Structure formats: structure tokens, C-alpha cells
Amino acid sequence: MQRVTHMFNAFLQVVSKELKGAFRHPSDILNPIWFFVIVVTLFPLAIGSDPALLKRIAPGIIWVAALLAALLSFERLFKDDFIDGTLEQLMLTPFPLAWLVCAKVFAHWLLTGLPVLLVSPLLALFLALDTETYTALFLTLLIGTPILSLLGAIGVALTVGLRKGGILLSLIMLPLSIPILIFSTMAIDAAAYGQSYLGLLALLAAMLVAAITLAPFAIAASLRVSVS
Amino acid sequence: MWKWLHPYAKPEKSYQLAGTLLPWFVAASVVTFVVGTVWGLLFAPADYQQGDSFRIIYIHVPAALMAMGAYSTMAVAAFVALVWQIKLAEMSVAATAPVGAVFTFIALLTGAAWGKPMWGAWWVWDARLTSELILLFVYLGIIALYNAFSDKVLAGRAAAILTLVGVVNLPIIHYSVVWWNTLHQGATISKFAKPSMAPAMLWPLIIMIVAFAAFLGTLTLMRFRNEILARESHRPWVILLIENSNKQYLQEHK
């Protein structure tokens, strides 16, 4: 029992350390969000502002922009900890590395996934989404962005020791995130046509469960490769 | 029970085994390639709907199958490498990846060439084509990751992890793409009980599949041997091997 409380304490401590570190450099959190909003803004400017057209392509735009913004934010997930030796210290703790990695990914989601959710109403206004479609968008982002964080963490963990890991990270991670993109945009499309999208949400949720159970081990194994 | 396997964890033994297997794979692929291409491209009857352009399946289907086959062998090797910490399995992952990528590329290219007369476009966003394209991306990611590390021991382990991540993801990707869109004709020979293909057309295809499998084996074995030599280049047995082959070369060219 005591061990369980210790483990939860460790989890909370890692999360709070991450949050404190991030709030000391607020631009690290804000920049990817700005990027997300700017990319979404570019599309109406490039394609035209016809509301019917925007409504049709909105799910794709928002999800691709969310993916790109996520890519930008991944670097800081392990990079600083890798450079200053915190990762090695995490490996030396008596707690399983996979568990601590969960805490780090959760903190990362709080700092990058959650803000995307918070600015999403603004984008709904920009892209002329109705309430039903927006609800679907919000739900897919809510379920989908944690999967992105977990997948991205695998990529970062594999590339953190490399000098030019950034582009490699996108090469590794983008193909793996295709199912999330497909199911999310399908769900939003279904909502836009007034159909039920619960099944698609359930599939996304199933992927989230699979990612939460499997990804931490892959991340931990990758970190051990990168740190050794 | 598995004791006979143990000696092959030694690079030297594995190198020799690959060397003895190689000629058999070469012979098998040469014979089946000649028989399969001549039979399939010249003697098999033309399709009543697609005419002669259906013959591209004699390259397309085996390449696509072996592209996935290569990935499955990589996944098994990666699992072995990570669970039992066997360095040679990592090497075989690294050796197979480029071959698999090229097979995937061949499948895509022939698919496009077949799509032009059949669907009227070089590329359509059909489910199987798309998932094959994503398979290519995954292969390229693994190869890029492997090449990015200067320490090849770490590179092999990283590539093995990414291979396993990919193997969990690929079925999900495949089915997501299938639900997303589908235009491709259904599998023609997967249902062996009652294939929807005339035997005169089926036999050359099966021979070509064997040919591609043997060819995959050939290329992989060659790359595997190279990988072992490159990684073990400082070992006495490799140095001895090189000295001996040098001596032989000098004697022959005296």
C-alpha cells in the first residue's frame, strides 16, 4: 500500500516539476498554440472564405494543424532533461521508468493538448462550424491529442540523443498518427452531416487505451537506448 | 530443445550459415523468376476484361506480399532482439529494411502502372494503395533512424523498437484506411479454398510469389553478411577472412 502511495507521489512530483519548469518559460507553451492558430488562419486566406467550403474542410485543417503544432512542442519533452542529466536520475529512481514517463507525457499533454482544446472555440468561429460539429471536434481533440502526445513521446525518446532529431521525429511520428487523423476527421464529418459518430469516438478511445497501455514501455525502452 | 540454435548467436557462425544458405536462395530465385516471368508474361491466358494489362499482377502482387513479408520478418527479428538481447537479430532488422522498402516501392510503382489503364489515373486514394504508401513511409522512417545513429549498436536497438511500434500500428493504419475509402479489387488469391482466379493464371502467380520470396531471402542474406562484416570488422575472424581472400585473389591474379 505504501509503495502505491509512493508511486503516486512520484507521479505528482514529476508532473509538478514539469509544470513549474514550463511556467518559467511561458513562450514554450504559447508558441505552438500561436502556430496552431496561424496555420488554421492561413487556409481561409489561401482557399477563400466561402463558409460552405470552410465547413467542408474544417476538420481536416484543424487536425493537420494540431498535428503540426504537436510536432513543434515535442522537442522540449525530453531534450532539456536529456542534456542536464535529469533523465539519468529518473532512471535511477526505484520507480519503473515507464510510470515516470507516463507522468511526463501527461504533463506534456496538459501543456500542449489542453491549450489546443481551449483555443478550439475560436477556430470554430473562424471556420463557421455549427454547435454539433464543434462538439464532435472538441471530443475528437479531447481523445486524440493524448494519443498524439504518447506517439510523439516514442519518437522523441528515440531521437533525443541525435543532433538533428527534429526532422527525423516528424518522419517517424507522422505516418503513425494517420489513423487518429482519419478517425477524427471521419467523426467530425459524420457530425456535420447529422449522423451518429459515437462508434468512431469509441474507436478513437480504444486507440487511446491501447496507446496508454503500450506506449510507456516503448518510450522507456527508447529512452534507455538514447541515454546509454 | 532450442539448444541447437545457440551457436548461431555468434556472428561468425551466423555468417557461415548465411553463406551456405545463400547459393540455394540464389538458385531458387533464378529458376522461379525465369519460369514465372516467361509463363506469366507470355503463356498465361489474357484476362477477358482487363486484357494483357492484368499481367502486371505477376510483379505487383508478389512485390506487395513480400513487402509485408519483409516487415513481418523484421518484426519477429526485432522482438527476438529486444527480448533475448540478440545483436544479430538487430542486424537482420537493419539488413531487411531497405529491401522491404524497395519491394514496397515496386508494388506502388506497378500498382500505379496498372491503375492508369484500369482506373484511368496513375494514383487514386484507394485503401490498399494508401496503406502500402504508409508502409513505405514507415520503412523509410526505420531506415532514417538507423542511419542517424553513429553508434550502430544503439542504432540497431532503436530501429528494433521502432519496428515493433510500427507492427502494432500497421494493422490499425490498414483498417483505418480501408474504412476511410475503398476502390481496390478484393483479394484474388487469399481465399485458397476457392480462388477467384483460373488455375492457368494462378500457377505462374504462385511461382512468382515464391520467386520474390527467394529473392527477398537472397538480398537479405547478402545484406546481413555485409552488416556482420561491417560491425565485426575489428574481430580476428573477420581480419583472417579478409587476409585469406586477399591471398586467394593474389594467387589467382599472379
Side-chain angles (χ1 to χ4, degrees):
Chain A
M1 195 59 222
Q2 207 184 2
R3 185 163 163 78
V4 175
T5 36
H6 279 315
M7 275 179 74
F8 273 99
N9 268 339
F11 188 93
L12 291 179
Q13 270 179 6
V14 172
V15 172
S16 80
K17 177 201 154 272
E18 289 290 306
L19 296 184
K20 273 184 205 150
F23 285 125
R24 290 207 184 119
H25 306 277
S27 63
D28 281 2
I29 315 168
L30 291 175
N31 289 352
I33 299 303
W34 284 138
F35 175 80
F36 176 58
V37 175
I38 291 173
V39 168
V40 172
T41 320
L42 288 180
F43 278 90
L45 294 175
I47 297 172
S49 58
D50 172 27
L53 177 68
L54 284 183
K55 218 175 133 177
R56 178 75 196 82
I57 58 175
I61 293 174
I62 292 175
W63 260 98
V64 171
L67 251 181
L68 295 179
L71 273 183
L72 279 187
S73 66
F74 280 134
E75 194 85 295
R76 57 174 297 283
L77 184 55
F78 294 124
K79 195 82 191 178
D80 293 345
D81 287 0
F82 176 76
I83 291 169
D84 67 12
T86 314
L87 270 184
E88 272 142 340
Q89 296 302 321
L90 282 183
M91 286 176 188
L92 292 175
T93 60
F95 307 106
L97 183 59
W99 174 247
L100 297 177
V101 154
C102 277
K104 278 188 77 76
V105 175
F106 177 63
H108 178 262
W109 179 79
L110 285 181
L111 293 168
T112 60
L114 202 57
V116 165
L117 283 174
L118 294 179
V119 296
S120 63
L122 184 67
L123 301 176
L125 283 179
F126 280 180
L127 299 174
L129 294 180
D130 52 48
T131 328
E132 187 66 10
T133 321
Y134 173 68
T135 317
L137 170 67
F138 185 86
L139 289 175
T140 56
L141 282 174
L142 182 67
I143 304 175
T145 45
I147 315 179
L148 285 187
S149 291
L150 285 162
L151 280 181
I154 300 176
V156 185
L158 283 171
T159 55
V160 70
L162 303 171
R163 211 174 301 143
K164 285 174 191 154
I167 181 81
L168 195 57
L169 167 65
S170 12
L171 288 184
I172 292 172
M173 194 217 141
L174 287 178
L176 298 181
S177 53
I178 287 170
I180 309 166
L181 188 72
I182 290 178
F183 287 133
S184 302
T185 49
M186 271 167 78
I188 302 171
D189 267 345
Y193 291 116
Q195 294 160 343
S196 163
Y197 54 89
L198 281 178
L200 291 162
L201 276 189
L203 276 174
L204 267 180
M207 291 200 302
L208 176 61
V209 171
I212 290 177
T213 39
L214 296 177
F217 298 102
I219 300 167
S222 316
L223 281 179
R224 285 188 205 284
V225 171
S226 288
V227 168
S228 62
Chain B
M1 180 181 156
W2 295 100
K3 229 169 181 176
W4 58 272
L5 256 176
H6 293 179
Y8 296 109
K10 216 173 135 199
E12 190 179 351
K13 274 276 178 200
S14 256
Y15 179 83
Q16 284 162 359
L17 176 69
T20 40
L21 287 179
L22 190 57
W24 295 99
F25 274 89
V26 172
S29 61
V30 167
V31 170
T32 44
F33 253 122
V34 170
V35 174
T37 35
V38 171
W39 190 353
L41 298 186
L42 297 180
F43 295 107
D47 189 75
Y48 81 103
Q49 254 181 340
Q50 303 180 358
D52 275 331
S53 53
F54 100 97
R55 289 179 202 279
I56 209 154
I57 67 159
Y58 292 121
I59 310 290
H60 175 70
V61 171
L65 267 181
M66 285 311 131
M68 283 181 267
Y71 201 93
S72 331
T73 61
M74 277 167 65
V76 174
F79 186 79
V80 171
L82 291 176
V83 173
W84 290 285
Q85 308 273 326
I86 292 175
K87 214 168 41 170
L88 283 158
E90 288 165 9
M91 292 186 199
S92 87
V93 172
T96 319
V99 186
V102 170
F103 276 31
T104 317
F105 185 73
I106 293 173
L108 280 171
L109 204 71
T110 50
W114 181 83
K116 183 64 184 160
M118 290 302 131
W119 295 331
W122 289 105
W123 181 262
V124 287
W125 289 98
D126 148 72
R128 288 213 213 160
L129 272 179
T130 312
S131 55
E132 196 83 359
L133 181 67
I134 297 167
L135 178 65
L136 181 64
F137 290 158
V138 173
Y139 269 127
L140 293 182
I142 294 170
I143 297 168
L145 183 68
Y146 184 76
N147 290 335
F149 282 86
S150 48
D151 181 345
K152 287 303 166 203
V153 177
L154 294 183
R157 220 174 299 158
I161 294 174
L162 186 56
T163 308
L164 280 188
V165 172
V167 91
V168 174
N169 256 280
L170 280 172
I172 302 179
I173 294 174
H174 179 74
Y175 284 104
S176 68
V177 176
V178 167
W179 283 331
W180 169 68
N181 192 0
T182 194
L183 230 176
H184 200 287
Q185 63 179 45
T188 326
I189 56 161
S190 62
K191 9 172 187 167
F192 262 103
K194 192 172 173 272
S196 53
M197 200 176 177
M201 291 173 172
L202 185 62
W203 275 110
L205 183 58
I206 290 173
I207 293 173
M208 281 307 274
I209 291 172
V210 175
F212 267 78
F215 190 49
L216 172 67
T218 308
L219 291 179
T220 309
L221 281 178
M222 287 166 77
R223 288 187 46 86
F224 181 59
R225 275 161 62 94
N226 277 344
E227 193 74 33
I228 295 179
L229 287 187
R231 281 228 212 148
E232 304 274 304
S233 56
H234 54 286
R235 300 284 158 128
W237 71 269
V238 179
I239 295 168
L240 199 69
L241 195 77
I242 296 167
E243 274 172 5
N244 283 346
S245 71
N246 274 351
K247 264 183 219 152
Q248 210 177 356
Y249 179 82
L250 285 177
Q251 269 173 4
E252 277 168 16
H253 295 263
K254 221 182 257 173

